[in-house]
Amino acid sequence: MFEEYDDYRKQIREFGLKEFTDEVAAKYDRGEEYPDYLRKKSLSLGIVDMQNPAKILIAIEELCRIDAGLGISVTTPYFGAEVLMLFGNDKQKEFLNDVYSGKYVLGLGVTEASGGSDVAHIKTTATKKGDKYILNGSKMFITNGAIADYLVVLARTSDEDKPHHGLSTFLLNTKLNGFKANKLTGKLGVRATNTAELTFDNIELSSEDLIGEEGKGFYYIMTFFNISRIYVAAQGLGIAEGAFDKILEYVKANEIKDENTMFEIADVATRIEATKELTYNAASYLFKFEPRPQLTSMAKAYAGETAVYASEKAMEILGANSLEENVERIFRNAKIMEIWEGTSEVEKLVISRFILKGE
Amino acid sequence: MFEEYDDYRKQIREFGLKEFTDEVAAKYDRGEEYPDYLRKKSLSLGIVDMQNPAKILIAIEELCRIDAGLGISVTTPYFGAEVLMLFGNDKQKEFLNDVYSGKYVLGLGVTEASGGSDVAHIKTTATKKGDKYILNGSKMFITNGAIADYLVVLARTSDEDKPHHGLSTFLLNTKLNGFKANKLTGKLGVRATNTAELTFDNIELSSEDLIGEEGKGFYYIMTFFNISRIYVAAQGLGIAEGAFDKILEYVKANEIKDENTMFEIADVATRIEATKELTYNAASYLFKFEPRPQLTSMAKAYAGETAVYASEKAMEILGANSLEENVERIFRNAKIMEIWEGTSEVEKLVISRFILKGE
Amino acid sequence: MSNLNEENNILRDTVREFCEKNLDEKKIEEEKIDNNINSLLASQGFMGAKISSKYGGSELDDISYHIILEEFSKYSPSIAMKIFMINSLYLPSVINTEYESYLQDVSSGKMNVSVDFMNNKYKLEYGNNINGTVENILNTDSENIVLFDGKTTIVNGPFKTREKDFMGFKGLKFGSIELNNKYNVIDKNSRKEKIMEDSYNDLSAIALGIISGAVDKAMDYSRVRTVFGAYLKNYEPLVFRLSEMYSKENILRSILYSNLDKYYTFNFAMNSIVEIARFSVNTHGGYGYFKDFGVEKFYRDAIILKSVFYGNSELKQLSNHVYSEKLTFI
Amino acid sequence: MSNLNEENNILRDTVREFCEKNLDEKKIEEEKIDNNINSLLASQGFMGAKISSKYGGSELDDISYHIILEEFSKYSPSIAMKIFMINSLYLPSVINTEYESYLQDVSSGKMNVSVDFMNNKYKLEYGNNINGTVENILNTDSENIVLFDGKTTIVNGPFKTREKDFMGFKGLKFGSIELNNKYNVIDKNSRKEKIMEDSYNDLSAIALGIISGAVDKAMDYSRVRTVFGAYLKNYEPLVFRLSEMYSKENILRSILYSNLDKYYTFNFAMNSIVEIARFSVNTHGGYGYFKDFGVEKFYRDAIILKSVFYGNSELKQLSNHVYSEKLTFI
């Protein structure tokens, strides 16, 4: 699948191998610093060809295979764009061009400190006042939070009986008064990515900042996650492949031939192959606008577990050699795959719900 | 994948549901009896369309989903045909028509008591004597052994330094003097299939019975297994799907909603989906004559484990209700999937060898 | 094992010798446990292992009882299940009721009994008589059975039974019983839940026997079987896994006999048993799939034990115990 | 725990109180263990836990030593690793050699030492001096180190070191040492293999502490965190898994302190540790990914412990032990 992009894949991999050297990866990992120059460099590759999501998928996979911290940093400044693309007004869609061109960094502000994956119960409010909305509240674990120029933000615009009603999405300019971002440090992995806690203190939003219709925010965000999850699956796949590269490199260099290690190689390889097929297959439905959310959730949950499994296996097989920074970094990067964009637990409920409904 | 056969799939499933009733499945399981009438009935469906291996694959999957004992019984009387098709002479190829038409039951005699998956070290000999070969030795765990009219048999025709040299394949008529089949009973599962221990006591074979060239038997058989493994993967896939059917049936009928069971459903479903994609993907390469043995071995090993995993989960989720004969039979049938046509262990060595060779 | 004394070891040897001398495990699987075997077991005091000496039982302590269950289970899980049903299920069902004197005939092997522990959802229609079907019950050849239906009830035979071929514990007759009998309430409360929870260690002992039997067979086989020109014991992945299973066997034995919290022991036993029995079959290759090798029975009995006795409700009990509170789940 | 007596329990409380009163686990991770902490540990006799009183050590028995390792590890695995290096690795390296008097300064916290246990494949060029690089060594701020290179060798500092940021046991300085020093052979045989095999239970104790810390954090969090309108402890799959992990923790503690065969205990510890630490991170959701919550460190230290100390050679040792023979593998 996606063989037609083999050339593009090669091109991306070459870029990654050239730019994501061990030194660069280590530097931004240690310093917890966002590599903005790599974002700019990468733009020339057409990584964000929104007309061609398959290319995005492949870019994510190949770049995360080399280093997930840098790979995600480079492919995530467009995070949230699908919300605007699908539900935004013409001006907002036009604005996206500035995101794609690299002028602006975008982000998505949904998760809150009290909620985790529980989107329906967010507490941030956008209270209507004349033709304005006054935004108050806070957000947690927001990728690009402290570097984004704009954020797609989910807030409560009215109280309804059902908590997932009454939510709306806005395009927030982070230069506005009342916006504060507190960069969070001390992450286990993907430390080159920027993560922040946000507070909104009486930020004045105009009605033009509203995305789509008022009260439909929950639906927009769920639609978005059903798309974005496939990219998380690709991150997980890439990390697993990167871990496997390290295993093979080590086994070949040290001429390891013992049968137990051969079995481990077969097990990891089989799991990665299954991850790849689950991911590509779910993506192919999604990309022809016939999404099958249970397949996407399967791919995401399985890929997350595969990333962790493969990286742990790399550590174990390499033994003391796993302490080498370029291997242990993979291990540290992998864990988040089971957590963000819906924990594996949430995915499993999605899967079983769809199955019991009768697909 | 293989969506173009959806109608055929439906047709096969209808046949299976009609013929493989719980009563029939239980009867042949309890009695360890081969259901020859089902073999004959099934012929009308074109299950053995050798021009169309995808149909064979689908038939195996769908029939094993309903009952593996009967499903394998009905789809295995052609076992070994590919050896003749690929390497046989014109007369032997012509003979295949009588197999496909149901006139003869075929089987494959490779495994020996001392060897298991170790094909190179078989001890059966076919000693050349004039223009005849004298066959002596024994075979173990031979599917169709006591019902086959003909068997493709592997025997040693010369002693060579390397044990996998000097082996040849023959087409053996089981009516010949010196042939004895001892039906083996007391199998854990797939009890409707026929399994036998064979002894060859000075059986006279003519040089016309030789398949292909003398000394190439090992290569022929390995080529065959690289094909037949995909069908074992389909058996495993079908069994897993059948087990999952029982889980869903039970969960729906009893309105079970607890979260732990929901997670189990998601896990089993994801593993089955991965199995399906691994199997179909490996098959699609194989069927366009671009076999990728490591993908086939992955599919086979993964499918075997999935069959066992899903059937164990069915037992556990159904609890005391799993004692119901139609559920526990699935459990008993599943185990062989990890054993025959190369144990999972052998597959893993194949996989790692191919990977380290650099695919 | 540090917690086992000389006496315990002698008992273990006694059971082992008894099995080897008197029992044919394949015959038991094929022909069921007969009166002959019942009498033999009774004569040695195994049948009434926990029953008071007042009723001719052996009145053994827990450790001794578990040694008996483990050793019988290793040889023939069906025998262990029979002893378990009498001592862990029937005994606490009838004790301190007017029917406890039945224990005399039970411990002497004269009376076959059964208890419905299969989480049956049968419906019993009470009247003067009891009518209805008890599905999936072991020991269909019983003279009386205990049922739980809100209350604890005893029903005397003779019964109209329908035997079924059953995949697990094949030494015991299995099937359904069509009730049209007199019944007596012996406790107006159901004793079932407490009985089941009290039997965790006993079930762990049976599991240990199955595990031990499966590991032994596989290790023995790995020492004699050659494939690809080497003994199985020369193959790393196989030996590593078998050694890890042997480790688990020893851990289970240690925590069972050192009387660790029964919830933990039971969880460990149930999480290990199927995987170990399965791998023992795998180790035997094609031979493992045939009953002649006496290893597939461990796999069958392992899944039955786990499926019937370990599920969501036992995990809930474990969780309540761990959290020291009665948890509610959404 | 049946095998632990009153004295053991007092020791456990002592260590716990010591940690809470004197140590800041986050500061240790960020700023490393300093001389202050060294002195504190020494003053309480922890530094020389197993060292003879002749050299100012506490000369503790195994159970007491393991309690110390477990409790420190639960609070700060780095401290436990430091104590382990001294008592399980350095002590048996220098004992009965002319350098055993070094133990005096070690137990008093005056001398930092290290032992190369990382399975380094470094090449040392011997001459009058020793030249070469020791890669990946913990405690780079040591005054002397023990190396194994066919022999057992001691090398005195000062050393030219290069520190590296290291993902595991962050309280200890880690990096490489450029040797250009005098060396002394203290035993013409390498003591490494025996030392490592003798340390199985000690490592299991460290693992137990990590497991216990990870499970505790997760269970505590499950009691206070709400999501989708309910406490985490009201979600079945999460609670079931945590309860099973708590079971494993208790099993490990039981078999460690009841002195079950160390091979089995070590295998169980190493097969449990990573999974449990990982699930503790998962339980904490996004928060688990940040060091502030003090749970991701268990995951990091868990994988390091397993990767460095448990691999094919340990599985071979287990197998040899189980099979009671030296197996050869194809």
Side-chain angles (χ1 to χ4, degrees):
Chain A
M1 246 178 277
F2 297 130
E3 280 101 346
E4 61 268 40
Y5 298 106
D6 278 356
D7 286 343
Y8 177 72
R9 187 185 286 276
K10 229 179 258 170
Q11 192 191 343
I12 286 283
R13 182 160 169 83
E14 272 164 25
F15 169 81
L17 287 174
K18 185 171 156 243
E19 298 291 343
F20 296 6
T21 60
D22 291 345
E23 292 70 30
V24 171
K27 180 185 162 198
Y28 288 90
D29 176 63
R30 284 192 215 128
E32 299 202 76
E33 196 188 329
Y34 180 76
D36 202 50
Y37 81 101
L38 284 176
R39 174 179 71 92
K40 287 175 181 150
K41 269 199 180 174
S42 70
L43 285 166
S44 63
L45 288 171
I47 284 176
V48 288
D49 184 350
M50 298 303 269
Q51 302 309 314
N52 198 334
K55 285 171 76 174
I56 304 179
L57 190 86
I58 287 163
I60 291 172
E61 178 191 344
E62 288 301 331
L63 293 177
C64 287
R65 178 175 176 176
I66 299 167
D67 184 78
L70 301 176
I72 295 170
S73 292
V74 155
T75 52
T76 205
Y78 323 97
F79 197 58
E82 286 89 347
V83 179
L84 295 167
M85 200 169 66
L86 292 173
F87 308 110
N89 57 35
D90 288 348
K91 205 175 137 193
Q92 287 163 343
K93 283 182 188 162
E94 208 173 300
F95 154 83
L96 271 183
N97 292 326
D98 286 341
V99 174
Y100 300 153
S101 73
K103 185 175 169 191
Y104 294 135
V105 169
L106 189 66
L108 181 81
V110 172
T111 304
E112 298 188 356
S114 62
S117 295
D118 182 4
V119 174
H121 287 91
I122 59 155
K123 290 170 182 159
T124 294
T125 55
T127 314
K128 201 154 189 172
K129 202 175 164 187
D131 63 345
K132 300 225 180 287
Y133 292 89
I134 311 299
L135 188 68
N136 278 293
S138 62
K139 295 286 174 185
M140 195 60 172
F141 305 134
I142 302 306
T143 300
N144 301 339
I147 58 167
D149 300 290
Y150 288 86
L151 287 162
V152 172
V153 170
L154 185 71
R156 183 165 304 286
T157 42
S158 67
D159 283 323
E160 308 281 342
D161 285 348
K162 294 195 173 167
H164 62 282
H165 293 168
L167 300 178
S168 305
T169 42
F170 296 89
L171 182 61
L172 170 70
N173 182 335
T174 60
K175 304 285 178 303
L176 287 177
N177 282 334
F179 176 86
K180 232 169 67 188
N182 173 34
K183 178 178 164 185
L184 298 172
T185 58
K187 288 204 295 276
L188 173 63
V190 294
R191 289 160 59 98
T193 66
N194 180 282
T195 311
E197 183 180 3
L198 311 179
T199 47
F200 311 138
D201 180 14
N202 281 311
I203 301 179
E204 275 193 17
L205 296 173
S206 79
S207 56
E208 285 187 359
D209 297 325
L210 182 69
I211 303 168
E213 292 176 43
E214 205 185 290
K216 296 214 167 162
F218 183 82
Y219 162 73
Y220 296 163
I221 294 299
M222 288 300 119
T223 305
F224 171 75
F225 281 145
N226 278 339
I227 300 168
S228 69
R229 254 172 213 148
I230 202 66
Y231 297 124
V232 180
Q235 292 169 2
L237 172 61
I239 290 175
E241 290 172 320
F244 193 56
D245 288 342
K246 294 289 179 195
I247 293 173
L248 287 187
E249 207 176 277
Y250 176 77
V251 165
K252 284 177 183 169
N254 294 280
E255 292 180 32
I256 290 168
K257 297 196 190 310
D258 69 277
E259 260 209 339
N260 203 46
T261 307
M262 296 303 106
F263 273 43
E264 307 253 34
I265 286 175
D267 286 342
V268 177
T270 301
R271 224 192 127 102
I272 289 177
E273 180 65 31
T275 304
K276 189 185 287 177
E277 294 180 22
L278 284 172
T279 303
Y280 290 2
N281 188 47
S284 73
Y285 284 110
L286 194 61
F287 296 165
K288 58 188 178 198
F289 304 104
E290 299 168 11
R292 302 205 183 172
Q294 75 273 39
L295 291 186
T296 314
S297 285
M298 281 179 183
K300 195 271 177 184
Y302 196 85
E305 286 169 13
T306 302
V308 170
Y309 165 75
S311 72
E312 286 181 2
K313 278 290 165 208
M315 294 294 290
E316 290 170 20
I317 291 174
L318 269 68
N321 296 73
S322 68
L323 306 183
E324 210 256 301
E325 192 170 3
N326 300 312
V327 182
E328 57 90 356
R329 194 172 55 248
I330 298 175
F331 167 80
R332 288 187 290 101
N333 288 338
K335 190 78 212 67
I336 196 67
M337 297 299 136
E338 290 184 328
I339 299 174
W340 66 13
E341 299 284 288
T343 60
S344 292
E345 286 73 27
V346 170
E347 304 305 334
K348 286 178 187 182
L349 293 181
V350 171
I351 296 164
S352 58
R353 201 178 308 136
F354 268 93
I355 286 171
L356 287 171
K357 269 201 324 207
E359 302 179 81
Chain B
M1 245 174 278
F2 297 131
E3 279 101 345
E4 63 267 38
Y5 297 106
D6 278 356
D7 285 344
Y8 177 72
R9 187 185 288 276
K10 229 178 260 171
Q11 190 192 344
I12 286 284
R13 183 160 167 82
E14 273 163 25
F15 169 80
L17 287 173
K18 185 171 155 242
E19 299 291 343
F20 296 7
T21 60
D22 291 346
E23 292 69 31
V24 171
K27 178 183 164 199
Y28 287 91
D29 175 62
R30 284 191 214 126
E32 298 202 79
E33 195 188 331
Y34 180 76
D36 201 51
Y37 81 101
L38 284 175
R39 173 179 73 93
K40 286 176 182 148
K41 269 199 181 175
S42 71
L43 284 166
S44 63
L45 287 170
I47 283 176
V48 289
D49 183 350
M50 298 303 267
Q51 301 309 313
N52 198 334
K55 287 172 76 174
I56 303 179
L57 190 85
I58 288 164
I60 291 172
E61 178 191 344
E62 289 300 331
L63 294 177
C64 286
R65 179 175 175 175
I66 300 167
D67 183 79
L70 301 177
I72 295 170
S73 291
V74 155
T75 52
T76 207
Y78 322 98
F79 197 58
E82 285 88 347
V83 180
L84 295 169
M85 201 171 64
L86 293 172
F87 308 110
N89 57 34
D90 289 347
K91 205 176 139 195
Q92 287 163 343
K93 283 180 188 162
E94 207 173 303
F95 154 82
L96 272 183
N97 292 326
D98 286 340
V99 174
Y100 300 153
S101 73
K103 182 173 170 193
Y104 294 134
V105 168
L106 190 65
L108 181 81
V110 172
T111 304
E112 299 188 355
S114 61
S117 295
D118 182 4
V119 174
H121 287 91
I122 59 154
K123 290 171 182 160
T124 294
T125 54
T127 313
K128 201 154 189 175
K129 203 175 164 188
D131 62 345
K132 300 223 178 292
Y133 292 89
I134 311 299
L135 188 69
N136 279 292
S138 63
K139 296 285 174 185
M140 195 59 172
F141 304 134
I142 303 307
T143 301
N144 301 340
I147 58 167
D149 300 290
Y150 287 86
L151 287 162
V152 172
V153 170
L154 186 71
R156 184 165 303 285
T157 42
S158 67
D159 284 323
E160 307 282 341
D161 285 348
K162 296 192 172 168
H164 62 283
H165 292 169
L167 300 178
S168 305
T169 42
F170 296 89
L171 182 61
L172 169 70
N173 183 336
T174 60
K175 305 283 176 303
L176 287 177
N177 282 335
F179 176 87
K180 230 168 68 188
N182 172 34
K183 178 178 166 186
L184 298 172
T185 59
K187 287 205 296 277
L188 173 62
V190 294
R191 288 159 60 98
T193 67
N194 179 283
T195 311
E197 183 180 5
L198 312 178
T199 47
F200 311 137
D201 181 14
N202 281 312
I203 302 181
E204 275 194 20
L205 297 173
S206 80
S207 56
E208 284 187 359
D209 297 325
L210 182 69
I211 303 168
E213 291 177 43
E214 203 183 291
K216 295 212 167 163
F218 183 83
Y219 163 74
Y220 297 163
I221 295 298
M222 288 300 118
T223 304
F224 170 75
F225 280 145
N226 278 338
I227 301 169
S228 68
R229 256 173 211 147
I230 203 66
Y231 297 124
V232 180
Q235 291 169 2
L237 172 60
I239 290 175
E241 291 172 318
F244 193 57
D245 289 341
K246 293 291 178 194
I247 293 174
L248 287 187
E249 206 177 278
Y250 175 78
V251 165
K252 285 176 181 169
N254 295 279
E255 292 180 33
I256 290 168
K257 297 196 191 308
D258 71 277
E259 261 209 339
N260 203 46
T261 308
M262 295 304 108
F263 273 44
E264 307 254 35
I265 286 176
D267 286 341
V268 177
T270 302
R271 226 193 126 102
I272 289 176
E273 180 65 30
T275 304
K276 190 186 286 177
E277 295 181 22
L278 283 172
T279 303
Y280 290 0
N281 188 47
S284 73
Y285 284 110
L286 194 62
F287 296 166
K288 58 188 175 195
F289 304 106
E290 299 168 12
R292 301 204 185 173
Q294 76 272 38
L295 292 186
T296 314
S297 285
M298 282 180 182
K300 195 270 176 185
Y302 196 84
E305 286 170 13
T306 302
V308 170
Y309 165 73
S311 72
E312 287 181 1
K313 279 290 165 207
M315 294 294 291
E316 289 170 21
I317 291 174
L318 270 68
N321 297 72
S322 68
L323 305 185
E324 209 257 301
E325 192 169 6
N326 300 312
V327 181
E328 56 91 355
R329 192 172 57 246
I330 297 175
F331 167 81
R332 289 187 287 102
N333 288 339
K335 190 79 212 69
I336 196 67
M337 297 297 135
E338 291 185 327
I339 300 173
W340 66 14
E341 299 284 289
T343 60
S344 291
E345 287 72 29
V346 170
E347 304 305 335
K348 287 179 186 182
L349 293 181
V350 171
I351 295 164
S352 58
R353 202 179 306 138
F354 268 94
I355 286 171
L356 288 171
K357 270 200 324 204
E359 302 179 82
Chain C
M1 198 60 42
S2 53
N3 290 64
L4 297 184
N5 59 31
E6 188 56 22
E7 212 176 308
N8 299 142
N9 294 331
I10 291 172
L11 176 60
R12 192 182 285 279
D13 290 341
T14 307
V15 180
R16 235 172 251 186
E17 278 163 32
F18 175 87
C19 289
E20 276 162 27
K21 222 170 92 184
N22 299 296
L23 302 178
D24 176 342
E25 51 115 358
K26 271 165 211 146
K27 209 174 141 196
I28 289 171
E29 292 271 307
E30 272 165 56
E31 299 174 14
K32 314 288 175 196
I33 300 169
D34 57 18
N35 284 334
N36 230 339
I37 297 176
N38 282 343
S39 306
L40 252 171
L41 289 169
S43 71
Q44 300 294 312
F46 299 129
M47 210 63 127
K50 296 276 290 178
I51 293 175
S52 154
S53 58
K54 184 168 66 174
Y55 297 119
S58 307
E59 220 174 317
L60 296 176
D61 59 22
D62 280 346
I63 289 188
S64 303
Y65 179 46
H66 294 150
I67 288 173
I68 288 175
L69 288 176
E70 178 193 343
E71 286 301 325
F72 273 115
S73 176
K74 182 171 179 170
Y75 191 81
S76 163
S78 295
I79 300 269
M81 182 50 72
K82 176 130 205 163
I83 296 172
F84 168 82
M85 281 188 66
I86 288 169
N87 293 281
S88 301
L89 304 183
Y90 190 82
L91 167 60
S93 297
V94 300
I95 198 90
N96 298 327
T97 75
E98 49 182 321
Y99 290 86
E100 75 169 42
S101 60
Y102 278 20
L103 293 169
Q104 183 79 48
D105 283 350
V106 171
S107 65
S108 70
K110 277 186 207 139
M111 186 157 86
N112 257 329
V113 294
S114 184
V115 177
D116 174 32
F117 59 93
M118 288 278 195
N119 296 313
N120 254 318
K121 285 192 191 154
Y122 57 87
K123 282 225 189 316
L124 296 172
E125 287 154 33
Y126 285 83
N128 273 342
N129 272 16
I130 184 167
N131 284 290
T133 307
V134 187
E135 294 283 1
N136 298 340
I137 194 159
L138 278 169
N139 278 2
T140 43
D141 51 348
S142 290
E143 269 93 48
N144 78 70
I145 59 174
V146 171
L147 303 174
F148 304 101
D149 187 28
K151 301 177 268 296
T152 304
T153 306
I154 199 162
V155 186
N156 281 303
F159 301 113
K160 203 176 141 202
T161 63
R162 196 166 49 84
E163 271 181 51
K164 285 198 238 174
D165 198 17
F166 180 47
M167 75 176 288
F169 300 103
K170 270 182 167 302
L172 302 177
K173 289 192 178 168
F174 173 82
S176 59
I177 293 180
E178 293 290 340
L179 292 172
N180 183 6
N181 303 63
K182 278 194 126 166
Y183 76 95
N184 292 286
V185 176
I186 56 177
D187 188 331
K188 60 183 196 298
N189 299 309
S190 169
R191 296 183 172 189
K192 184 171 173 186
E193 203 176 338
K194 184 170 183 322
I195 287 174
M196 297 316 292
E197 214 162 332
D198 285 347
S199 73
Y200 281 2
N201 273 341
D202 314 339
L203 289 165
S204 294
I206 296 177
L208 175 56
I210 290 176
I211 287 170
S212 179
V215 170
D216 262 22
K217 288 244 179 213
M219 282 184 56
D220 286 350
Y221 194 69
S222 77
R223 290 187 171 98
V224 299
R225 171 73 174 176
T226 59
V227 62
F228 293 103
Y231 285 108
L232 285 180
K233 70 171 183 177
N234 300 122
Y235 290 90
E236 257 188 9
L238 185 128
V239 165
F240 287 1
R241 281 192 73 180
L242 283 181
S243 297
E244 293 194 305
M245 288 171 180
Y246 186 79
S247 287
K248 284 188 183 178
E249 176 194 336
N250 279 282
I251 289 171
L252 177 55
R253 191 172 288 114
S254 168
I255 59 178
L256 174 65
Y257 291 111
S258 69
N259 210 14
L260 180 70
D261 199 315
K262 67 184 174 187
Y263 297 90
Y264 310 150
T265 305
F266 196 33
N267 183 255
F268 184 74
M270 290 299 115
N271 281 345
S272 308
I273 187 172
V274 176
E275 182 203 358
I276 291 177
R278 178 174 65 232
F279 193 68
S280 182
V281 174
N282 284 23
T283 302
H284 286 78
Y287 294 102
Y289 209 61
F290 285 83
K291 71 176 175 200
D292 280 355
F293 270 68
V295 51
E296 52 88 44
K297 76 163 186 280
F298 289 125
Y299 185 46
R300 282 187 279 108
D301 292 347
I303 194 82
I304 292 297
L305 204 67
K306 186 172 182 192
S307 299
V308 171
F309 293 104
Y310 211 73
N312 264 28
S313 45
E314 287 71 24
L315 283 167
K316 278 178 190 156
Q317 282 163 345
L318 168 67
S319 302
N320 288 338
H321 177 76
V322 166
Y323 274 79
S324 306
E325 61 174 300
K326 193 145 176 71
L327 297 164
T328 53
F329 294 107
I330 57 150
Chain D
M1 198 57 45
S2 54
N3 291 64
L4 298 184
N5 58 32
E6 189 54 24
E7 211 176 307
N8 299 141
N9 293 332
I10 291 172
L11 176 61
R12 191 182 285 276
D13 290 341
T14 307
V15 180
R16 236 173 249 188
E17 279 163 29
F18 175 87
C19 288
E20 277 162 27
K21 221 170 90 183
N22 300 294
L23 301 179
D24 176 342
E25 51 114 358
K26 271 166 210 144
K27 209 173 140 196
I28 290 171
E29 292 269 308
E30 273 165 53
E31 301 175 11
K32 315 287 175 196
I33 300 169
D34 58 17
N35 284 334
N36 232 339
I37 297 176
N38 282 342
S39 304
L40 253 172
L41 289 169
S43 71
Q44 299 295 313
F46 299 131
M47 210 63 126
K50 295 277 289 180
I51 294 174
S52 154
S53 58
K54 183 167 70 173
Y55 297 119
S58 307
E59 221 175 312
L60 296 175
D61 59 21
D62 280 345
I63 287 188
S64 305
Y65 179 47
H66 294 150
I67 288 172
I68 289 176
L69 289 176
E70 179 193 343
E71 285 301 324
F72 273 115
S73 177
K74 181 171 179 170
Y75 191 81
S76 163
S78 295
I79 300 269
M81 181 51 72
K82 176 130 204 162
I83 295 172
F84 168 81
M85 281 188 65
I86 288 168
N87 293 282
S88 301
L89 304 183
Y90 190 82
L91 167 59
S93 297
V94 300
I95 197 90
N96 298 328
T97 75
E98 48 182 323
Y99 290 86
E100 75 168 43
S101 59
Y102 277 21
L103 294 169
Q104 183 78 47
D105 284 350
V106 171
S107 64
S108 70
K110 280 185 204 140
M111 186 158 85
N112 257 328
V113 295
S114 184
V115 177
D116 174 33
F117 60 92
M118 288 281 194
N119 296 316
N120 254 315
K121 284 193 192 155
Y122 58 86
K123 280 225 190 319
L124 297 172
E125 287 153 33
Y126 284 83
N128 272 342
N129 272 13
I130 183 167
N131 284 289
T133 307
V134 187
E135 295 282 3
N136 297 341
I137 192 158
L138 279 170
N139 279 1
T140 44
D141 53 348
S142 291
E143 270 93 48
N144 78 70
I145 59 173
V146 172
L147 303 174
F148 304 101
D149 188 28
K151 300 179 269 293
T152 303
T153 305
I154 197 161
V155 186
N156 281 301
F159 300 112
K160 202 177 141 200
T161 63
R162 195 165 51 84
E163 270 181 52
K164 284 197 238 175
D165 199 18
F166 179 45
M167 73 175 291
F169 300 103
K170 269 182 166 306
L172 302 177
K173 290 191 179 168
F174 173 81
S176 59
I177 292 180
E178 292 291 339
L179 292 172
N180 182 5
N181 303 61
K182 279 194 126 163
Y183 77 93
N184 292 286
V185 174
I186 56 177
D187 188 332
K188 60 182 194 300
N189 299 311
S190 170
R191 294 184 173 188
K192 185 172 173 185
E193 201 176 341
K194 182 169 183 324
I195 287 174
M196 297 316 293
E197 214 163 333
D198 285 347
S199 72
Y200 282 1
N201 274 341
D202 314 339
L203 289 166
S204 295
I206 296 177
L208 175 56
I210 290 176
I211 287 170
S212 179
V215 170
D216 261 22
K217 288 245 178 214
M219 281 184 59
D220 286 350
Y221 194 69
S222 76
R223 290 189 171 98
V224 298
R225 172 73 174 175
T226 58
V227 63
F228 294 102
Y231 286 108
L232 286 181
K233 70 171 183 177
N234 299 122
Y235 291 90
E236 256 188 11
L238 186 127
V239 165
F240 287 1
R241 280 191 73 180
L242 283 181
S243 297
E244 293 194 302
M245 287 170 182
Y246 187 79
S247 287
K248 283 187 182 177
E249 177 195 334
N250 280 282
I251 289 171
L252 177 54
R253 192 172 287 114
S254 167
I255 60 178
L256 175 65
Y257 291 111
S258 70
N259 210 15
L260 180 70
D261 200 316
K262 67 184 176 188
Y263 297 91
Y264 309 150
T265 305
F266 196 34
N267 183 256
F268 184 73
M270 291 298 115
N271 281 345
S272 308
I273 187 171
V274 176
E275 183 203 357
I276 291 177
R278 179 174 65 231
F279 193 68
S280 182
V281 173
N282 285 22
T283 301
H284 286 78
Y287 294 101
Y289 209 61
F290 286 83
K291 72 175 173 204
D292 280 355
F293 270 68
V295 50
E296 52 88 44
K297 77 163 186 280
F298 289 125
Y299 184 46
R300 283 188 279 107
D301 292 346
I303 193 83
I304 293 296
L305 205 67
K306 185 171 184 193
S307 299
V308 171
F309 293 105
Y310 211 73
N312 264 28
S313 43
E314 286 73 23
L315 284 167
K316 277 178 192 157
Q317 281 162 345
L318 168 67
S319 302
N320 287 337
H321 177 75
V322 166
Y323 275 78
S324 307
E325 61 174 298
K326 194 146 176 66
L327 297 164
T328 53
F329 293 107
I330 56 149

